[in-house]
Amino acid sequence: MDARPLPQALAALAEDNAAFFSGLATPSGRRLAAACTALRDHGRRLGPALAHLGRLCHRFDLDEATPGNGYRSLLQVARCCLAHALAKSRYVAAHRRGVFFRAGHNAAELEAYGAALAQLRALLWLAQRLLARCRPGCLFPPPEEEQEGEGVSEMVLREYSTMHNGCFYGRCLGFQFAPSIRPVLQTIAIGLVSFGEHYRGGGGGLGVAAGSLVTSGKFALDPELRGREFERLTQNLDVHFWKSFWNLTETQLLASVATMTAVQVGVVRELSVPPQPLELPLACDPSATVTIAPPVAHTGPGPVHMRLLSYHLREGQDSAALSALSRPEGPRGSLRWWRGPPLPPSPALLVHFHGGGFVAQTSRSHEPYLRGWARDLGAPVLSVDYALAPEAPFPRALEECFYAYCWALRNCRLLGSTAQRVCLAGDSAGGNLCLAVSLRAVAVGVQPPDGIVAAYPVTLVQAAVSPSRLLTLLDPLLPLGVLCQCLSAYADAPRKSVSEEPPPACPGTPPERSGSAQGGAEDGDEGTPPYPDEFRPLRTRGPPARFVPPPAPLARNPYMSPLLAPDSMLGGLPPLHLVACALDPMLDDSVALARRLRSLGRPVTLRVVPDLPHGFLSLGPLSPETRAATALCTRLIRGRWGHCDP
């Protein structure tokens, strides 16, 4: 076993392979020699950059017991890619003289990892630029510097608009994640590009999905084609495409299949609560009350939709009052397996806000893991189907979630609970809404939740760069173009993109098959930073991507970006449990918020789960790692209820 560090080991082995293939006067031999030469160069250059970040990354952890931040994530991804490239190179070295050695296939494999390493070199350089611009211990650049000329975030957006990333969605797809989750990510990617081929603005649903099945085979057999198409879709299609694709999980067929394989519960009811003012007692003086107005932003007063799940049938859940709120098209009562009288109300209640980038999905697609929570917690779960952007941007979702929370407090006995212990839980966009609702509850003066469990939340609704957000170049579930589209839709941004402004002087050249890092704009070209050692990242084949950053003034609203809330507001948050993913572009959102709350002396914990992508709760049944992470969330919720026995 080679005891040398990964970069040196790869450089030495790649040089040996390059020397061997340089003597072969065949097209495949030349391809292999060029690919090995590129790998050798990347191995030599990556060593110092990794060592530099490795010496500094611990400074950005929450504490010694919680190692996790975007710099560590970049190091992990780069090392993982080096390990894969080294394994491929060892295979080539061991079989290159064999009769059955597939020269073309192995050349394509080495080229793919060479291209991936070239782009990771660029990310590491951008991370060093970010490191130099940020204050000590800060993961995001100072807002005041970002507003003065072209800040580092604007520079990264411009750079990403022409950077090639198709290599991360072809042969290298999901290399950084747990092996058990990679087939799932590959299936999602194939489904995405197949869906995109048949999508026609505004169209979607099972018709497009059925047509996609016919053509999905070519994307499974041709990784390079899949990577090119994935790059085109993620950089250029609008938010309505992503809304249509993600909402496939809302269709009757797919939702029914997911429900059949999920935990069977005693109560599932879809509720429609009319928009009526609510009177709630003040937390500081229960003898006084405050009026909670119904949601009105953008679309005027309208009902708030919710889904109630309970493993046991409890008192109130079979009442006529609750039945009057049940939606006609939804499930109306207990399942057949329930026998006996209703149980007493639970002292605990979980209010849940689903994820989906503020633009897609409902509680229906999140129901499989919510059923498991209802069973494991033994308490009612109320999941809110808030209005979605871009049709209903901020603050409509916040208004509906806060109204639903207040309605649940007032009508808890209808839900089968006494609400002695109330916890908020949500993932991604839902985690953001958990924080915003809690801030709103404190500001209005009503009873705040007893705790929050937020999984991989968005805490900064801005196109601000951080080391973990650099991973949007290669993340299969949250590319930068998708992230910008969702955040901008929620912030109701005008449809003006970075690419509509003066683009970089050179749109770049297509990536070379050898995986070389040459190509792109020259030093001194407007908008393109000078990379060291005459290095250039690979550039996309097409025009610059259209990134639409959220408008800065609105995105600084503390109810939209809780990370930017003043100390006086954050100091009122209830105990908070954050569950983040080490390889998630949103990791730094959690780390930065946890560091702020810790500095204010507020109770906060951060758990960083390894090797999983953003959105692991929706992938819960599909791998041992996602099941373990989902169980962690369950334990944290139960922990917020203390000795309260549901």
Side-chain angles (χ1 to χ4, degrees):
M1 189 70 178
D2 197 334
R4 290 175 293 182
L6 283 172
Q8 290 90 322
L10 176 62
L13 186 56
E15 184 169 23
D16 178 69
N17 280 333
F20 176 84
F21 290 114
S22 62
L24 301 181
T26 63
S28 295
R30 287 190 290 271
R31 281 183 63 192
L32 284 162
C36 293
T37 300
L39 288 176
R40 178 202 63 192
D41 294 341
H42 295 321
R44 289 175 176 175
R45 298 295 186 182
L46 277 168
L50 294 176
H52 175 66
L53 281 184
R55 291 189 296 267
L56 301 174
C57 62
H58 68 279
R59 301 179 182 178
F60 301 88
D61 295 333
L62 175 63
D63 51 44
E64 292 184 0
T66 315
N69 63 74
Y71 292 112
R72 286 188 183 274
S73 302
L74 285 171
L75 288 174
Q76 179 182 345
V77 169
R79 288 168 179 160
C80 185
C81 191
L82 284 167
H84 279 275
L86 181 59
K88 298 291 183 184
S89 298
R90 284 175 176 158
Y91 177 87
V92 169
H95 298 85
R96 63 195 183 191
R97 300 179 186 274
V99 176
F100 299 105
F101 180 72
R102 296 188 294 166
H105 169 79
N106 285 285
E109 292 277 313
L110 295 179
E111 288 169 352
Y113 279 99
L117 287 173
Q119 304 308 78
L120 288 173
R121 283 179 64 186
L123 296 193
L124 290 172
W125 180 86
L126 293 173
Q128 292 182 17
R129 282 287 297 269
L130 178 63
L131 189 63
R133 297 287 293 273
C134 291
R135 300 189 182 104
C138 293
L139 292 164
F140 291 91
E144 59 271 16
E145 291 188 13
E146 293 292 281
Q147 298 170 19
E148 297 176 0
E150 182 177 83
V152 64
S153 296
E154 180 71 13
M155 181 267 289
V156 169
L157 279 177
R158 289 186 178 277
E159 190 66 7
Y160 270 40
S161 70
T162 61
M163 283 181 69
H164 166 67
N165 65 353
C167 58
F168 294 113
Y169 306 123
R171 296 178 185 272
C172 303
L173 178 68
F175 70 88
Q176 69 270 39
F177 298 113
S180 61
I181 207 71
R182 291 175 200 160
V184 178
L185 297 176
Q186 184 177 32
T187 302
I188 293 174
I190 292 172
L192 172 66
V193 294
S194 301
F195 185 84
E197 188 174 51
H198 293 267
Y199 176 81
R200 299 292 182 271
L206 284 180
V208 174
S212 303
L213 291 176
V214 179
T215 58
S216 61
K218 65 180 180 182
F219 296 113
L221 297 174
D222 190 340
E224 283 72 31
L225 176 62
R226 180 176 72 232
R228 290 193 300 271
E229 184 66 6
F230 199 104
E231 179 180 273
R232 182 187 70 83
L233 294 175
T234 56
Q235 291 189 347
N236 295 301
L237 288 189
D238 62 17
V239 70
H240 297 286
F241 169 79
W242 302 104
K243 195 181 188 80
S244 297
F245 179 71
W246 289 336
N247 279 341
L248 287 177
T249 56
E250 301 290 326
T251 59
Q252 181 66 38
L253 177 61
L254 294 182
S256 298
V257 171
T259 300
M260 285 190 295
T261 60
V263 173
Q264 297 301 302
V265 295
V267 175
V268 180
R269 280 196 163 182
E270 295 182 21
L271 308 177
S272 182
V273 177
Q276 299 172 348
L278 302 172
E279 293 290 330
L280 262 68
L282 290 174
C284 61
D285 182 8
S287 63
T289 62
V290 61
T291 301
I292 307 300
V296 296
H298 298 294
T299 57
V304 178
H305 302 302
M306 315 174 198
R307 184 180 300 260
L308 174 65
L309 301 99
S310 181
Y311 187 68
H312 304 102
L313 177 64
R314 295 184 179 273
E315 293 176 3
Q317 295 174 346
D318 59 350
S319 64
L322 190 67
S323 296
L325 298 174
S326 297
R327 299 171 65 181
E329 65 273 20
R332 297 184 59 84
S334 59
L335 301 180
R336 292 181 180 179
W337 62 266
W338 180 260
R339 294 292 184 271
L343 297 182
S346 168
L349 175 66
L350 178 66
V351 180
H352 170 263
F353 308 129
H354 65 81
F358 301 105
V359 303
Q361 299 190 323
T362 68
S363 61
R364 185 178 193 175
S365 51
H366 292 249
E367 189 176 325
Y369 71 81
L370 292 178
R371 285 170 172 255
W373 283 1
R375 178 197 61 189
D376 298 338
L377 297 171
V381 177
L382 183 69
S383 186
V384 182
D385 290 330
Y386 54 86
L388 300 172
E391 293 80 9
F394 178 86
R396 182 71 188 204
L398 171 58
E399 287 185 357
E400 293 194 2
C401 289
F402 179 64
Y403 183 84
Y405 169 73
C406 294
W407 182 88
L409 293 180
R410 182 174 176 82
N411 298 276
C412 58
R413 290 195 172 272
L414 290 182
L415 305 175
S417 172
T418 60
Q420 293 172 243
R421 296 288 187 272
V422 181
C423 183
L424 299 185
D427 68 310
S428 191
N432 173 286
L433 291 168
C434 287
L435 296 166
V437 165
S438 299
L439 291 173
R440 185 66 178 156
V442 173
V444 172
V446 300
Q447 172 191 335
D450 296 283
I452 306 170
V453 176
Y456 39 88
V458 181
T459 67
L460 183 62
V461 183
Q462 290 183 346
V465 68
S466 79
S468 73
R469 289 190 176 196
L470 292 174
L471 294 175
T472 54
L473 187 72
L474 61 148
D475 193 277
L477 298 179
L478 203 59
L480 179 60
V482 180
L483 177 62
C484 285
Q485 290 278 358
C486 294
L487 299 186
S488 298
Y490 185 52
D492 197 21
R495 297 299 179 257
K496 181 180 181 182
S497 68
V498 169
S499 64
E500 293 177 60
E501 301 172 10
C506 177
T509 58
E512 300 176 8
R513 287 188 60 83
S514 65
S516 167
Q518 303 304 314
E522 299 296 330
D523 289 350
D525 284 352
E526 181 183 356
T528 302
Y531 288 94
D533 305 321
E534 298 182 354
F535 165 76
R536 298 293 181 275
L538 301 173
R539 299 292 172 179
T540 185
R541 294 176 180 270
R546 300 190 298 270
F547 297 143
V548 185
L554 183 58
R556 287 195 291 269
N557 187 311
Y559 293 113
M560 178 181 289
S561 297
L563 182 60
L564 301 181
D567 292 350
S568 58
M569 292 183 66
L570 284 183
L573 279 179
L576 171 63
H577 291 300
L578 294 164
V579 181
C581 306
L583 301 177
D584 180 10
M586 295 292 101
L587 168 63
D588 289 336
D589 287 51
S590 293
V591 178
L593 180 62
R595 288 171 66 96
R596 277 205 64 192
L597 290 172
R598 182 70 59 85
S599 70
L600 296 174
R602 298 302 301 162
V604 59
T605 66
L606 172 65
R607 306 294 181 89
V608 182
V609 297
D611 305 329
L612 290 181
H614 187 89
F616 68 75
L617 281 174
S618 297
L619 306 176
L622 302 178
S623 79
E625 291 84 359
T626 52
R627 287 194 292 271
T630 303
L632 169 63
C633 295
T634 307
R635 292 196 300 272
L636 293 174
I637 296 170
R638 182 181 290 277
R640 286 313 318 145
W641 289 331
H643 299 292
C644 178
D645 184 9

